[in-house]
Amino acid sequence: MVSRRKFLSFPCAAALTPTALLAETSSKNISEAQSGFTVLQATTGTVQLAPKEYPATNVWAFDGTVPGTPIRLKQGERVQRVFENKLKQPSAVHWHGIRIDNKMDGVPGLTQKVVPTGGRFVYDFVVPDAGTYWYHTHHRSWEQLARGMYGPLIVEEENPPQVDRDELLIIDDWRLDNKAQVVENFGMMHDKSHAGRTGSWATVNSMGMDRAALSVQQNERLRLRLINVANATVFNLVLEGMQGKVVALDGQPLAVPEALGMLTMAPAQRIDLIVDVVTEQGKTAMLNIMSRGQKIPLMRFAVEKQRRDKPLETSEALPANPLPVLNSTSLATAPVTELRLEGGAMGRMRSATYKGREMGIRELVDEGMVWAMNGVAGMTEQPLFTAKREQTQRLKMINETGWPHGMHLHGHHFREVLADGKLGPWRDTLLLQPRETREVALVADNPGDWLLHCHMMEHQMAGMKTWYRVLG
Ligand code: C2O
Ligand code: CU
């Protein structure tokens, strides 16, 4: 998947697909008072992703930097930003994993109008949960995300756990040409119908694998917040020379922290770790990518000093967030909706409904569609399900395809209903392996129309998205 200093070169980058000109004439929702909010600007920039003998990479980015400006605040506070779009394409900002007011969810066509070039949109919302979240474009994301349109959103606990340092590790996977520029073959059919757009160069906080590093101290305690912002790459990561626990998934604390093993991260997933550097001074701890049995160094942690003579005592679980109650009683009577994931290369899909019409696979491909859910490619007229407020809803996802999918629900976190009837951890994105069936349950306490889609951006664009409704 990824090899050091080996850029795939694409001699003839496929022509750009024409910009979807969906922008409304104006989408200003700004008042005088709000004009004092901090600006978050979608613009262009350059960043040195590749080794220094290569040129800097041209990117599209929030405030011109990759990752975009970090947003950090306390639980219960408000994020208030005037989003300004200086790109030559329309855009919008989605606040991934935030149990947000529907109007602020940032999904053009569902929760707001797309923000045209030169347009502005005011985002103003409360963050109910502490944890590791992120924001990203939600328009032409197969292109805009691949160009760098993302940033971290960190919500601090009232009483954060005792650590020496709190570090963000934002992991991306870039498709660069031999001049270290983003290959502009966005949404190409092969990517859509296979694993999605995977790259040839991984970065942590925009530092390439050749130089991604952090100096640490022996027996230092770190909180590491990992975010997979890649378009489609599932990362399998192993941390060497550190010991500790997984304390949160997708922002939500684990009631009982889990042992640190292989960390599998679908696109959009987050993992919070609390670890102690058990490597000696003068040596190096490592974050490695595991790919096809090979270990590829991603990030180095040079141990420079000694923080204390032995690691701290084991840490506690993070304080729970104010999530709704989801238990076996409510589960027993909850309606079950099935969602069959269909299509893709080597799939058995022969036809699907698209834009209200049954089409054969050839015609679907001509329309750019290669995936369907419950026989429909792309958005449906009617929601997948409608839940009454506070109702528990079950969703059984049946992956009939030969590909993994990172399924994401907007607006709510969910818990997996495990085979033994127990409930898994709260998450907002679940990785389904090929041919796997997994069931989740949520308490529909957040009214509105919410998107539900595969976070492999090329799958989403090629049919894998739908929506559900929670009544007010
Ligand atoms: Cu990060 Cu619609 O998602
Ligand atoms: Cu998918």
Side-chain angles (χ1 to χ4, degrees), residues 94 96-97 107 134 136-138 268 408 410 451 453 455 457 460:
H94 171 56
H96 185 115
V107 181
W134 64 301
H136 63 80
T137 171
H138 218 295
H408 170 50
H410 285 223
L451 209 60
H453 63 89
H455 222 285
M457 292 304 178
Q460 179 190 352

Side-chain angles (χ1 to χ4, degrees), residues 161-169 214-226 239-247 260 272-278 285 299-303 307-308 311-312 315:
Q162 282 307 311
V163 295
D164 297 312
R165 278 154 72 191
D166 185 330
E167 296 287 348
L168 269 162
L169 305 185
L214 195 66
S215 56
V216 295
Q217 298 179 18
Q218 188 176 353
N219 298 327
E220 190 176 26
R221 175 159 289 183
L222 312 174
R223 178 175 186 165
L224 300 177
R225 302 173 184 264
L226 280 66
L239 196 55
E240 282 178 0
M242 301 202 197
Q243 264 170 24
K245 293 274 162 83
V246 176
V247 293
L260 191 58
D272 280 40
L273 306 173
I274 293 186
V275 291
D276 298 300
V277 180
V278 294
M299 186 173 193
R300 286 154 192 76
F301 302 86
V303 185
R307 182 71 172 73
R308 51 179 72 81
L312 296 173
S315 65

Side-chain angles (χ1 to χ4, degrees), residues 371 404-407 454-456 459-460 464:
W371 306 94
H405 303 287
M407 299 303 294
C454 177
H455 222 285
M456 275 78 168
H459 294 177
Q460 179 190 352
M464 275 202 157

